[in-house]
């Protein structure tokens, strides 16, 4: 018995010694590279196991490993993962985590809806900009400015005024790129367009912006041609804290922002609130603007399985606008010239003001069903109110002395003309009298997006869900300034109000009051119609990944219905149009294969049958259905290679996109400053090209970035061209050969390089240079397009972060930006393609009759941000 006991004791001692020898104790301290401070709460996990710990308040950790040697993975929200080896008991010392350029774990709510590339095994053409870079470089610009250092992205139109930018991806306009807010579609339902002034607050509330060029990896039932841009906003912050920020810039720009979060409390509740106000005079004359942003988010963690988050945000704003004009006008009056404003009795008054308020609300629900499946759902709503002002009746150019010697509107002459009319009554039918009207675009939009994910097995994941939307838009005009008139006689304009009647009521163009202050039906002028659009889609995705190989297949089907009610062109019995219903679908698939430890190749392909936009279904903004409109057909092919190490990364992307049966629209103004619209139908485009992205970090304090893109974007075949005036009356219809014509509006060749160097601890300098070539006029589908001069832009920035407080957890950040450092004079966009002939006046070889935007010259801004 003693021998047996002794043997058991020896066996137990041997087993204990073996287990002890097979384990190790790994210690270290995790530091924030940006703050040079300990990073509490970082995750430390033994690779290949679920064995892990978190760093304490001082960034320290101790991990008892299950093996005597191996690797540990150190990660934290918004930082690059670090993998370190250990062998036996190991003290890893100080471990520094760098802020990364991905979106991994940025959001805690709606993760199943916010479809980001970081959860894709199959690589795609993607770029990501995180909050710190947005806050640093946005300055006085809108959110599109954060994407300018991205291959195949071209941003223009900033000269139009605050928020009037136009962003194109791979040569495709904004109505053909999908824009999402936390996975919620935000392109206009009627025409697919984006009005960035309505979203001026995104830069304040964004956690990150990700652009997936081309086919992308979005699981939603959307058919984007150029790509998908996802704006990921804050949700309810996990930790208590806040910030206060102030910035100033050129031409009296001022902005203040305050934010605070309770953090996720023990009760499971939390709240985050942010408010901001901005104002400025704009770069060009007569482009003043002002606005606010509000953001309120309430989160509730019911239990480990259920998270809820309710968010309300909006950005009420107004801004005065500048239009494209002849180069000869700029030569006469200067590069900041704007003919849309003047002075009435010594007071500034703009003819063209955009004002809008678009509150957005959504409720996110994340449900972790079990270890393998989850469901994410968002219910959302938005209510847009506002419009844009312009001339009604006789324009100032038709009035004696209506233009001053310096090319501005002579409002005093306009008022004198109005005072000379009998009874000071204008007449809309005879175009006598002159007033300022607003074209009002009100809407209510409700939707739901839901996505179910199931890990079928170790290698196969299934996603499927639905995208439902309903939209009601109301469009009409109303008077905002009678300029001395007593009213306008509207008789004979409307089918439902045929008898003469006087409209004398004026309405506010302030964004807050526009929510409720707008004209009733009997006070509306020029036109009045409603539109209803209903959309329903279902989508699904299978993704397979094993070892070095991965593949995915996505598909969706959708149906979209349209109807309109026109109260001006039709009697009450005939105001409702025919309801048009169109089905659509898309399929995408691809695969990738890892080449060694750092490289990966991929191929993707997709085919879309996309429904036409509402504005292309009904002819001339009437109830007449356009017989030429049919589903647009898009075929996309992509291939690429990525290589990534902690020091160097590169990606090469090749694409070919064929787009048939599409509609192209453009606008221009004539010698009298009247606006005209040109629509090309039945157009086919073929876009092909290559893209390169680079990142190199030779030393800890220096990061070098680069990009290049070369495209060949052309029209194919014939197109039907329809010309309309500002009141949407048809002037002409022609067939045109456009085969081989260059697609305009975006530079087809671009490259750039950027440097970010930390001079001393927490003080850095950065610079970006971009070059643009093969930029053609945005003049619709034409065979012989006008090529604009190439140009290059240089931006510089300085950043300094000062740690404050007893433990250094608070900070004050300072940022200075100087954009277009060399004050380059360049044409960013042209709406006409008038070729220069012998004897014509030219500017850099361009006929001076072309109507263009010049890009902004040298600008600056400075900001401070206190984080606590």
């Amino acid at each position: 018995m003693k021998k047996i006991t002794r043997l058991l004791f020896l066996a137990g001692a041997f087993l204990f010694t073996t287990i002890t020898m097979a384990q190790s104790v790994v210690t270290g301290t995790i530091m924030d590279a940006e703050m040079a401070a300990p990073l509490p709460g970082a995750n430390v996990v033994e690779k290949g196991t679920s064995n892990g710990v978190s760093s304490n308040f001082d960034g320290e950790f101790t991990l008892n490993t299950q093996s005597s040697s191996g690797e540990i993975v150190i990660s934290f929200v918004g930082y690059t993962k670090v993998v370190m080896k250990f062998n036996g008991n190991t003290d890893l010392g100080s471990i520094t985590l760098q802020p990364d350029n991905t979106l991994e774990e940025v959001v805690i709510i709606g993760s199943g809806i916010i479809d980001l590339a970081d959860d894709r095994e199959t690589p795609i053409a993607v770029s990501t900009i995180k909050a710190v870079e947005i806050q640093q470089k946005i300055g006085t610009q809108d959110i599109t400015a954060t994407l300018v250092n991205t291959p195949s992205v071209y941003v223009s139109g900033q000269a139009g005024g605050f928020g009037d930018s136009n962003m194109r991806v791979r040569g495709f306009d904004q109505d053909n790129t999908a824009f999402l807010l936390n996975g919620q579609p935000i392109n206009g339902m009627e025409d697919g367009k984006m009005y960035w002034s309505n979203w001026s607050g995104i830069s304040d509330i964004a956690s990150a912006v990700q652009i997936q060029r081309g086919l992308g990896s979005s699981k939603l039932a959307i058919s984007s041609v150029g790509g998908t841009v996802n704006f990921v906003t804050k949700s309810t912050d996990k930790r208590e804290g806040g910030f206060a920020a102030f910035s100033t810039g050129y031409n009296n720009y001022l902005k203040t922002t305050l934010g605070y979060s309770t953090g996720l409390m023990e009760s499971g509740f939390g709240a985050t609130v942010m408010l901001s106000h901005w104002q400025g005079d704009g770069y060009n004359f007569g482009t003043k603007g002002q606005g606010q942003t509000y953001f309120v988010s309430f989160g509730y963690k019911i239990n480990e399985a259920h998270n809820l988050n309710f968010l309300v945000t909006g950005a009420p704003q107004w801004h005065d606008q500048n239009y494209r004009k002849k180069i000869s006008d700029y030569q006469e009056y200067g590069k900041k010239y704007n003919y849309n404003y003047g002075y009435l009795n010594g007071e500034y008054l703009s003819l063209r003001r955009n004002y809008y308020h678009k509150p957005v609300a959504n409720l996110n629900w994340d449900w972790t069903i079990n270890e393998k499946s989850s469901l994410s759902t968002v219910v959302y709503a938005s209510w847009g109110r506002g419009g844009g002002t312009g001339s009604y009746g006789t324009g100032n150019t038709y009035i004696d002395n209506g233009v001053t010697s310096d090319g501005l509107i002579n409002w005093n002459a306009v008022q004198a003309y109005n005072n000379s009319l009998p009874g000071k009554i204008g007449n809309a039918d005879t175009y006598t009298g002159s007033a300022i009207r607003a074209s009002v675009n009100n809407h209510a939009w409700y939707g739901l997006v839901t996505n179910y994910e199931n890990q079928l097995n170790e290698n196969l994941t299934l996603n499927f869900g639905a995208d439902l939307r309903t939209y009601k838009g109301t469009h009409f005009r109303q008077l905002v300034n009678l300029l001395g008139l007593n009213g306008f006689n509207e008789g004979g304009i409307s089918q439902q109000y045929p008898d003469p009647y006087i409209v004398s009521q004026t309405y506010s163009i302030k964004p807050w009051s526009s929510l409720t202050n707008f004209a009733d039906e009997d006070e509306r002028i020029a036109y009045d119609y409603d539109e209803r659009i209903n959309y329903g889609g279902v989508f699904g995705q299978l993704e397979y990944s094993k070892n070095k190989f991965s593949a995915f297949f996505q598909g969706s089907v959708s149906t979209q219905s349209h109807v309109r009610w026109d109260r001006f062109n039709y009697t009450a019995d005939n105001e409702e149009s025919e309801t048009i219903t169109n089905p659509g679908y898309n399929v995408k698939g691809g695969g990738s294969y890892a080449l060694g430890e750092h490289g990966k190749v991929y191929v993707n392909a997709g085919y879309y049958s996309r429904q036409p936009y509402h504005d292309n279904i009904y002819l001339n903004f009437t109830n007449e259905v356009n017989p030429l409109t049919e589903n647009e057909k898009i075929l996309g092919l992509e291939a690429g290679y990525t290589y990534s190490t902690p020091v160097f990364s590169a990606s090469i992307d090749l694409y070919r996109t064929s787009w048939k049966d599409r509609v192209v629209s453009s606008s221009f103004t004539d010698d009298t400053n009247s606006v005209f619209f040109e629509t090309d139908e039945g157009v086919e485009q073929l876009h092909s090209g290559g893209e390169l992205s680079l990142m190199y970090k030779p030393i800890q304090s220096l990061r070098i970035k680069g990009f290049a893109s070369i495209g060949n974007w052309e029209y194919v075949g014939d197109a039907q061209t329809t010309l309309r005036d500002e009141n949407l009356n048809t002037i002409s219809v022609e067939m045109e050969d456009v085969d081989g014509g260059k697609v305009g509006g975006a530079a087809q060749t671009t490259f750039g390089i950027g440097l970010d160097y930390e001079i001393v601890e927490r003080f850095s300098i950065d610079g970006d240079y971009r070059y643009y070539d093969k930029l053609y006029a945005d003049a619709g589908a034409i065979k012989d397009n006008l090529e604009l001069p190439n140009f290059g832009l240089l931006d510089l920035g300085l950043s300094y972060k000062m740690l404050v407080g007893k433990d250094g957890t608070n900070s004050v950040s300072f940022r200075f930006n100087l954009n277009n450092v060399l004050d380059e004079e360049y044409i960013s966009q042209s709406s006409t393609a008038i070729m220069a002939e012998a004897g014509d006046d030219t500017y850099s070889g361009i006929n001076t009759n072309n109507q263009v935007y010049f890009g902004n010259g040298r600008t600056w801004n400075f900001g401070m941000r206190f984080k606590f």
Side-chain angles (χ1 to χ4, degrees):
M1 185 68 182
K2 289 182 179 179
K3 290 182 178 180
I4 294 173
T5 303
R6 189 174 300 168
L7 286 171
L8 290 173
F9 175 79
L10 290 173
F14 176 78
L15 180 62
F16 176 78
T17 302
T18 302
I19 294 173
T20 303
M21 289 178 63
Q23 294 178 335
S24 299
V25 178
V26 180
T27 60
T29 303
I30 303 172
M31 302 292 290
D32 180 338
E34 189 181 57
M35 298 282 290
L39 193 61
N43 299 315
V44 183
V45 179
E46 185 178 358
K47 191 172 183 179
T49 74
S50 58
N51 178 38
V53 296
S54 296
S55 58
N56 63 19
F57 185 77
D58 296 317
E60 300 170 343
F61 71 89
T62 299
L63 176 65
N64 295 311
T65 65
Q66 297 176 358
S67 302
S68 60
S69 63
E71 294 178 328
I72 62 169
V73 180
I74 303 165
S75 63
F76 192 73
V77 174
Y79 290 78
T80 302
K81 288 180 181 178
V82 172
V83 179
M84 302 194 72
K85 294 181 179 181
F86 67 87
N87 190 356
N89 295 334
T90 306
D91 182 3
L92 297 175
S94 180
I95 305 163
T96 302
L97 295 191
Q98 296 283 346
D100 68 8
N101 195 38
T102 69
L103 288 175
E104 197 165 350
E105 300 182 288
V106 165
V107 293
I108 62 170
I109 295 295
S111 57
I113 298 299
I114 305 175
D115 191 25
L116 304 173
D118 279 13
D119 62 358
R120 291 287 170 275
E121 291 291 339
T122 301
I124 57 174
V126 63
S127 300
T128 303
I129 299 90
K130 294 192 65 182
V132 62
E133 186 173 348
I134 295 171
Q135 293 164 7
Q136 286 181 345
K137 296 189 177 182
I138 193 72
T140 62
Q141 307 167 96
D142 60 52
I143 194 68
T144 60
T146 63
L147 296 166
V148 296
N149 296 306
T150 303
S152 295
V153 171
Y154 183 74
V155 179
S156 64
Q158 297 95 326
F162 288 106
D164 279 355
S165 296
N166 179 275
M167 189 184 93
R168 305 198 180 203
V169 183
R170 291 184 175 175
F172 297 110
D173 206 347
Q174 298 178 144
D175 55 344
N176 301 299
T177 298
F179 294 93
L180 308 174
L181 180 68
N182 292 341
Q184 164 191 333
I186 59 175
N187 292 75
M189 285 283 285
E190 298 169 11
D191 54 15
K193 294 181 180 179
M194 286 294 298
Y195 300 92
W196 296 109
S197 56
N198 300 343
W199 303 98
S200 60
I202 285 183
S203 60
D204 294 319
I205 63 177
S207 292
V209 180
Q210 183 179 92
I211 176 171
Q212 301 175 15
R213 300 184 299 279
L215 296 173
S217 67
S218 175
K219 293 173 288 192
L220 301 184
I222 54 175
S223 301
S224 58
V225 184
T228 302
V229 181
N230 210 326
F231 301 105
V232 183
T233 72
K234 291 173 173 288
S235 55
T236 305
D237 293 339
K238 289 183 177 180
R239 299 181 182 181
E240 182 181 8
F243 71 92
F246 168 81
S247 61
T248 185
Y250 66 93
N251 288 358
N252 301 315
Y253 182 85
L254 294 170
K255 182 176 182 178
T256 55
T257 309
L258 298 172
Y260 176 72
S261 177
T262 64
L264 192 62
M265 298 179 288
E266 292 183 3
S267 62
F269 282 97
T272 298
V273 178
M274 192 216 69
L275 301 170
S276 74
H277 174 87
W278 65 268
Q279 62 188 54
D281 291 341
Y283 180 79
N284 289 279
F285 300 137
T287 55
K288 298 174 184 287
Q290 184 181 111
Q292 297 81 38
T293 300
Y294 56 87
F295 173 88
V296 181
S297 180
F298 297 99
Y300 179 45
K301 186 174 183 179
I302 301 173
N303 51 43
E304 291 302 318
H306 297 278
N307 276 326
L308 294 174
N309 198 89
F310 177 70
L311 180 153
V312 177
T313 187
Q317 61 79 38
W318 64 261
H319 69 278
D320 295 339
Q321 296 177 294
N322 174 38
Y323 288 169
R324 289 175 292 253
K325 58 188 66 67
K326 290 182 178 181
I327 297 174
S328 58
D329 289 337
Y330 292 106
Q331 291 175 324
E332 182 176 358
Y333 298 112
K335 294 301 186 297
K336 294 186 178 183
Y337 172 57
N338 178 9
Y339 52 63
N340 285 335
Y341 76 102
Y343 295 87
L344 178 60
N345 300 322
E347 296 292 326
Y348 169 89
L349 178 63
S350 175
L351 175 65
R352 299 284 185 173
R353 172 169 292 187
N354 175 279
Y355 65 102
Y356 217 76
H357 188 178
K358 185 182 174 69
V360 176
N362 63 55
L363 176 64
N364 280 279
W365 171 38
D366 282 349
W367 176 21
T368 303
I369 301 171
N370 53 47
E371 292 182 357
K372 294 186 176 181
S373 63
S374 62
L375 178 70
S376 288
T377 303
V378 58
V379 179
Y380 62 87
S382 70
W383 305 270
R385 298 290 186 270
T389 65
S391 180
Y392 192 64
T394 306
N396 71 293
T397 56
Y398 295 95
I399 295 172
D400 289 342
N401 300 316
V403 179
T404 67
S405 60
D406 49 2
L408 304 182
I409 298 174
N410 187 347
W411 289 117
N412 292 324
V414 174
Q415 192 172 71
Y417 160 74
N418 284 339
N419 290 333
S420 70
L421 297 176
K424 296 197 288 187
I425 298 295
N427 191 299
D429 194 33
T430 60
Y431 286 93
T432 55
S434 184
I436 300 177
R437 51 76 185 165
S439 297
V440 178
N441 302 301
N442 293 344
H443 73 252
W445 183 346
Y446 305 94
L448 176 147
V449 180
T450 185
N451 180 64
Y452 171 78
E453 180 173 308
N454 192 314
Q455 187 78 34
L456 299 177
N457 56 45
E458 184 180 353
N459 308 115
L460 191 62
T461 303
L462 169 68
N463 282 272
F464 64 85
D467 176 6
L468 307 175
R469 309 172 220 162
T470 182
Y471 172 95
K472 175 70 175 295
T474 300
H475 307 275
F476 57 89
R477 282 182 172 174
Q478 63 189 20
L479 295 170
V480 298
N481 191 332
L482 285 167
L483 299 172
L485 290 174
N486 291 325
F488 254 93
N489 187 336
E490 290 293 308
I493 302 298
S494 169
Q495 289 291 321
Q496 297 192 22
Y497 296 93
D499 298 326
Y501 66 101
I502 305 299
V503 175
S504 58
Q505 182 67 43
T506 58
Y507 296 87
S508 170
I509 54 173
K510 295 180 180 179
W512 283 97
S513 60
S514 68
L515 287 174
T516 56
N517 183 246
F518 49 84
D520 292 329
E521 287 187 15
D522 59 353
E523 289 285 336
R524 297 174 182 178
I525 60 174
Y527 58 78
D528 180 17
Y529 61 92
D530 294 338
E531 299 166 324
R532 168 72 70 184
I533 305 170
N534 294 319
Y535 177 92
V538 293
F539 55 86
Q541 173 182 280
L542 273 174
E543 186 168 23
Y544 175 83
S545 177
K546 185 175 183 180
N547 299 327
K548 296 182 177 183
F549 175 74
S550 69
F552 78 97
F553 175 80
Q554 299 175 14
S556 74
V557 293
S558 61
T559 183
Q560 187 164 282
S561 68
H562 306 261
V563 65
R564 72 190 307 272
W565 296 265
D566 193 322
R567 289 175 289 276
F568 258 55
N569 291 313
Y570 303 90
T571 62
D573 292 336
N574 299 304
E575 69 177 31
E576 184 174 349
S577 74
E578 175 187 356
T579 299
I580 303 298
T581 301
N582 292 316
Y585 66 90
N586 68 63
V587 290
K588 293 187 285 187
S592 69
Y593 186 78
L595 301 175
E597 185 177 353
H598 304 292
K600 188 176 286 189
V601 294
Y602 77 92
V603 292
N604 295 329
Y607 182 81
Y608 301 158
S609 176
R610 191 179 78 171
Q611 300 98 328
Y613 286 119
H614 181 95
D615 286 353
N616 296 329
I617 291 176
Y618 298 100
L619 276 172
N620 305 328
F621 293 87
T622 68
N623 289 349
E624 184 180 355
V625 176
N626 187 345
L628 294 180
T629 300
E630 56 182 300
N631 276 22
E632 299 172 357
K633 288 87 173 175
I634 303 108
L635 174 63
L637 304 173
E638 297 178 345
Y641 171 75
T642 62
Y643 179 86
S644 180
T645 71
V647 174
F648 176 77
S649 64
S651 64
I652 299 174
D653 304 292
L654 305 175
Y655 65 90
R656 183 185 187 275
T657 305
S658 170
W659 188 2
K660 297 181 179 180
D661 298 321
R662 67 155 303 187
V663 174
V664 180
S665 297
S666 59
S667 64
F668 62 91
T669 56
D670 66 4
D671 292 339
T672 64
N673 299 332
S674 297
V675 179
F676 293 87
F677 299 95
E678 187 174 275
T679 303
D680 304 303
E681 298 162 297
V683 179
E684 180 181 350
Q685 290 180 213
L686 182 61
H687 292 222
S688 58
E691 301 161 339
L692 173 67
S693 297
L694 300 169
M695 193 283 292
Y696 178 47
K697 198 168 186 178
I699 56 177
Q700 186 70 20
S701 58
L702 175 63
R703 184 176 63 167
I704 303 172
K705 300 177 296 180
F707 72 89
S709 57
I710 299 175
N712 183 36
W713 312 328
E714 295 183 340
Y715 295 105
V716 180
D718 298 331
Q720 175 177 294
T721 301
T722 303
L723 183 66
R724 300 181 179 95
D725 64 18
E726 186 171 7
N727 294 314
L728 308 179
N729 299 311
T730 299
I731 298 173
S732 64
V733 178
E734 298 178 353
M735 292 298 296
E736 186 177 359
D737 172 20
V738 299
D739 194 58
K742 296 295 185 180
V743 176
Q748 301 199 16
T749 297
T750 64
F751 67 80
I753 185 169
L755 303 175
D756 192 333
Y757 179 65
E758 188 176 43
I759 302 171
V760 296
E761 188 175 351
R762 299 189 305 279
F763 177 58
S764 63
I765 183 172
D766 57 83
D768 295 291
Y769 177 79
R770 302 179 300 280
Y771 177 81
Y772 301 97
D773 196 9
K774 301 299 179 183
L775 171 62
Y776 296 90
D778 186 22
I782 58 176
K783 190 176 185 68
D784 299 313
N785 205 350
L786 174 68
E787 185 175 353
L788 305 178
N790 53 38
F791 61 93
L793 301 175
L794 175 65
D795 299 333
L796 293 176
L798 290 171
S799 296
Y800 176 66
K801 178 176 285 188
M802 179 173 62
L803 305 182
V804 296
K806 289 193 301 182
D807 53 7
T809 56
N810 301 335
S811 64
V812 180
S813 300
F814 302 89
R815 175 70 182 185
F816 176 77
N817 288 311
L818 191 62
N819 296 327
N820 193 1
V821 175
L822 304 178
D823 202 21
E824 177 87 357
E825 185 176 283
Y826 64 99
I827 297 173
S828 68
Q829 190 181 84
S830 176
S831 60
T832 57
I834 304 170
M835 298 298 178
E837 298 180 358
D840 289 341
D841 292 331
T842 61
Y843 169 88
S844 296
I846 305 298
N847 190 311
T848 58
N849 286 317
N850 281 293
Q851 297 184 11
V852 306
Y853 275 135
F854 276 89
N856 291 353
R858 185 186 299 118
T859 60
W860 65 272
N861 61 82
F862 172 76
M864 300 172 56
R865 186 181 183 93
F866 172 54
K867 186 177 179 181
F868 58 91

